[in-house]
């Protein structure tokens, strides 16, 4: 924890330097004696909504006026205020309102606080009385290129639309084989009659085809390693095809996306004579280094120290096939064999039994270069890993492989709606607490648990798709993200009979800028149907495929994975003897030493968050207020094995909270405090008895259980307990008071 404090202090100091320099170079929004703009209004506007006009002017009202700390004061700049009138009039005149007039009204609300109203008198619009397209009838494709031209007879004489239509027409013609195409604009206006005659003359020039494509590769920095054949194949340009600016740009993008070139220039021959029907191209290239290596180290709340590295060969096979070697290691300092530095690890990580094993992931991936016009790009990955989920399970995969295909159902790739289809085959096992298997799958004896935790073959087919519409991918203030995936595993595609399931998950994030704050709404849902079977266990869902919730990316009022069903490992129990029959049962003195999240097969989580700049160091700090809600349960089963979910509070748990966002060189640090007013969920309680006579029994000690305990017939062995369901009747106590119900969490980057 001390290391994290040092890192956070360094990030704050770095942010202070970033924030101080710009502030010193510009005036503050409001100085002493300036008049604060409380409200900005528009009147008389019909052609444009107020939101468009507000975005045109420089004058800006205060956000959340009158609210200390949360609001931002904005004051009147007299120079820009005068220019705002000109900005609005220019906007309207280009739209076709030559007689527009804009007046202003300044109302004093109180000393040094004003409201501003822009009153627009639009006047009569100027309309197109005649419109002609000259030269478009020379070719059917030229005629088609003039479709949906934005000006029509009777419409507004909008000069912005006229110029945009000209640019679109020229771009279409240059993509259809006319490299010298132009469109000339001419118009006459009659201010008295409010009319305009518009003429667009198309000058296509000679239609041309692609001729010779010359390659010039700069070898001054070393010998070449990408062949001419690979370069030509990647560009996907053919001699003899119609000339197209878009295809030339796509060819440049294709070469850049191989990551094998530092510089790519693809241009028509400068000696091309006007009117020639053949266009020769020259590609000037500078290769990147064949090998690239990257690495990094860090620290995380649940991972302690971690490290990662990547080695890339950009020309491993012909046609610039990429080979990527990747390695990631976490739990360093805590997990064997790289333990011994637990003092540097956070308490949550030290309390997790699965953090005592070093987590790692190594992979070798072979990728085909992506071309701009190519869908269904394959890749092959072979990997080995040991990965854990906090307090839930440890997954060991000695060997596995994934074959994936991008945009499998698309004729052309969709950069804004990418999708992938993958087939995963791996041999591995999942280790979890004996109490987990006993409570969830009624696998309470050691033999059945060993059967479920042996190495199994998992084969899964997965399809995922996403749609991203953001104004900024790193710090969005507007737009949406939608993601969905389905995953299937069965014996039909090669999976073991215990590893069969259907899984579907999806989430959507929505960003909007409102009143100076960024509002984020997020919804996540998931469902799993288990079909695995073996040794009397039915509808088995592998622990790593179950759904979990709670923590900094789901419901922040709960600790990691602790929303939803759970079982407990307690410190002790009492022996109850009723009519000569012995029972082991926990009481109020039995402390829950460990919470074991069991996950669920159905999940719904929603988040609502508002962020705004801090009044102190606004470029460094942002404040946040949020409310998270969710429910995780096992569909089709008795609620928590006999416990009533409603006894734990409402079915949907809602936790409000506050947070701070700190800008840093390695991403925004999110510090959140979620308030959890709910009691801990009731669940089954177990006691891990010490080893005795070579046996370490697991006893159900839930209050009121009816599992009889009897002495063993074998000398030296501990008492045995009758088999049966362990009721979820144990409810541990939790801390009370404000600080006892606050759950702190730390995360780097966007949570949703």
């Amino acid at each position: 924890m001390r290391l994290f404090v040092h890192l956070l202090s360094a990030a704050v100091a770095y942010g202070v330097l970033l924030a101080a320099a710009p502030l010193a170079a510009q005036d503050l929004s409001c100085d002493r004696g300036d008049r604060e703009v409380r409200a900005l209004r528009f009147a008389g506007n019909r052609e444009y909504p107020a939101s468009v006009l507000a975005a045109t002017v420089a004058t800006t009202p205060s956000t959340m006026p009158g609210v200390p700390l949360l609001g931002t004061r904005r004051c009147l700049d007299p120079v820009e205020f005068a220019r705002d009138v000109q900005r609005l009039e220019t906007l309207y005149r280009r739209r076709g309102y030559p007689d527009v007039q804009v007046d202003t009204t300044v109302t004093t609300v109180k000393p040094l606080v004003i409201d501003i109203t822009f009153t627009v008198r639009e006047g009569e619009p100027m309309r197109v009385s005649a419109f002609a397209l000259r030269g478009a009838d020379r070719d059917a494709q030229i005629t088609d290129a003039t479709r949906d031209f934005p000006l029509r007879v009777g419409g507004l004489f909008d000069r912005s639309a006229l110029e945009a239509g000209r640019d679109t027409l020229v771009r279409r013609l240059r993509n259809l084989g006319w490299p010298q195409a132009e469109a000339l604009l001419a118009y006459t206006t009659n201010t008295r009659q409010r009319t305009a005659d518009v003429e667009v003359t198309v000058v296509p020039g000679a239609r041309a085809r692609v001729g010779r494509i010359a390659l010039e590769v700069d070898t001054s920095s070393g010998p070449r390693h990408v062949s001419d054949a690979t370069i030509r194949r990647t560009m996907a340009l053919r001699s003899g095809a119609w000339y197209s600016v878009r295809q030339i740009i796509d060819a440049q993008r294709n070469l850049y996306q191989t990551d094998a070139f530092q510089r790519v220039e693809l241009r028509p021959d400068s000696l091309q004579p006007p009117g020639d029907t053949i266009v020769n191209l020259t590609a000037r290239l500078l290769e990147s280094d064949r090998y690239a290596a990257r690495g990094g180290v860090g620290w995380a709340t649940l991972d302690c120290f971690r490290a990662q590295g990547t080695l890339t060969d950009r020309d491993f096979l012909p046609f610039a096939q990429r080979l990527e070697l990747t390695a990631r290691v976490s739990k360093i300092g805590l997990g064997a064999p790289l333990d011994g530095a637990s003092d540097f690890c956070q308490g949550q990580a030290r309390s997790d039994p699965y953090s005592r094993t070093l987590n790692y992931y190594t992979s070798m991936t072979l990728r085909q270069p992506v071309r701009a016009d190519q869908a269904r790009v394959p890749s092959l990955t072979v990997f080995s890993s040991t990965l854990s989920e906090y307090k839930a399970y440890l997954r060991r995969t000695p060997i596995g492989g994934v074959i994936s295909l991008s945009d499998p159902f698309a004729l052309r790739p969709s950069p804004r709606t990418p999708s992938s289809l993958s087939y995963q085959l791996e041999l591995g096992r999942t280790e979890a607490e004996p109490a987990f298997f006993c409570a969830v799958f009624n696998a309470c004896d050691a033999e059945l648990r060993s059967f479920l935790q042996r190495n199994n073959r998992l084969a899964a087919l997965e399809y995922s798709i996403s749609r991203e519409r953001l104004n900024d991918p790193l710090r969005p203030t507007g737009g949406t993200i939608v993601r969905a995936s389905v995953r299937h595993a069965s014996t039909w595609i090669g999976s073991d009979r215990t590893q069969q399931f259907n899984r579907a998950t999806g989430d959507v994030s929505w960003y909007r800028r409102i009143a100076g704050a960024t509002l984020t709404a997020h919804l996540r849902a998931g469902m799993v149907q288990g079909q695995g079977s073996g040794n009397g266990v039915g509808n088995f869902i592998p622990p790593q495929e179950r759904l979990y919730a709670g923590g900094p990316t789901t419901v922040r009022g709960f600790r990691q994975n602790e929303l939803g069903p759970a079982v407990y490992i307690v410190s002790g129990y009492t022996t109850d003897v009723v009519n000569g029959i012995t029972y082991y049962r926990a009481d109020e003195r039995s402390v829950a030493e460990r919470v074991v999240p069991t996950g669920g097969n159905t999940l719904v989580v929603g988040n609502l968050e508002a962020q705004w700049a801090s009044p102190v160091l606004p470029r460094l700090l942002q404040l946040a207020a949020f409310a998270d809600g969710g429910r995780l349960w096992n569909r089709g089963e008795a609620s928590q094995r006999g416990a009533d979910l409603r006894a734990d509070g409402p079915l949907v748990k809602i936790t409000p909270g506050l947070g701070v966002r700190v800008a840093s060189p390695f991403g925004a640090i999110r510090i959140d405090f979620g308030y959890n007013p709910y009691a801990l969920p009731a669940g089954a309680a177990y006691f891990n008895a010490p080893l005795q006579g070579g046996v370490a029994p697991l006893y159900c000690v839930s209050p009121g259980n009816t599992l009889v305990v009897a002495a063993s017939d074998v000398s030296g062995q501990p008492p045995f307990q009758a088999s049966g369901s362990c009721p979820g009747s144990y409810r541990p106590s939790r801390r009370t008071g404000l600080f006892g119900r606050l759950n702190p969490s730390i995360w780097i980057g966007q949570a949703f």
Side-chain angles (χ1 to χ4, degrees), residues 509-570:
S509 299
W510 177 80
Y511 302 88
R512 183 73 180 271
R513 189 75 175 172
I514 299 177
T518 300
L519 187 66
T520 302
H522 173 256
L523 179 65
R524 177 180 299 172
M527 183 180 298
V528 188
Q529 179 184 8
Q531 298 175 329
S533 62
N535 282 25
V537 175
N539 297 327
F540 176 73
I541 302 175
Q544 75 274 11
E545 300 295 340
R546 295 175 68 83
L547 302 172
Y548 299 88
T553 62
T554 52
V555 182
R556 284 164 280 189
F558 290 83
R559 300 181 70 177
Q560 187 74 24
N561 296 333
E562 292 189 6
L563 172 67
V567 298
Y568 301 94
I569 307 298
V570 299

Side-chain angles (χ1 to χ4, degrees), residues 335-340 356-358:
L338 300 182
D339 51 355
R356 298 166 191 165
T357 301
L358 190 73

Side-chain angles (χ1 to χ4, degrees), residues 50 84 217 220 423 496 513:
D84 284 340
V217 181
S220 59
Y423 175 76
D496 188 85
R513 189 75 175 172

Side-chain angles (χ1 to χ4, degrees), residues 433-513:
E433 289 278 359
F436 174 91
F437 288 99
C438 189
V440 178
F441 305 113
N442 203 28
C444 297
D445 61 89
E447 182 180 353
L448 183 52
R449 290 198 301 270
S450 297
F451 172 77
L452 294 177
Q453 296 185 93
R454 76 190 196 286
N455 278 333
N456 289 296
R457 185 177 63 256
L458 171 63
L461 192 65
E462 182 172 356
Y463 177 72
S464 61
I465 187 169
S466 62
R467 178 181 180 273
E468 183 173 312
R469 301 288 191 274
L470 297 177
N471 60 356
D472 186 337
L474 298 179
R475 299 183 65 179
T477 58
T480 59
I481 303 176
V482 181
R483 302 185 184 95
S485 67
V486 291
R487 185 171 168 88
H488 167 77
S490 68
T491 56
W492 290 95
I493 59 174
S495 202
D496 188 85
R497 61 194 178 102
T498 62
Q499 310 291 299
Q500 301 185 84
F501 57 87
N502 294 306
R503 189 175 191 261
T505 58
D507 66 305
V508 56
S509 299
W510 177 80
Y511 302 88
R512 183 73 180 271
R513 189 75 175 172

Side-chain angles (χ1 to χ4, degrees), residues 87-131:
R87 293 184 178 105
L88 293 175
E89 291 179 347
T90 300
L91 177 70
Y92 269 92
R93 289 191 178 109
R94 289 187 61 82
R95 180 71 169 179
Y97 290 85
D99 299 329
V100 64
Q101 292 182 350
V102 178
D103 295 327
T104 59
T105 303
V106 179
T107 304
T108 301
V109 179
K110 59 182 180 179
L112 299 181
V113 178
I114 59 175
D115 289 351
I116 293 178
T117 302
F118 288 94
T119 302
V120 181
R121 297 181 179 87
E122 296 178 345
E124 291 297 322
M126 181 172 290
R127 299 192 177 275
V128 178
S129 59
F131 178 77

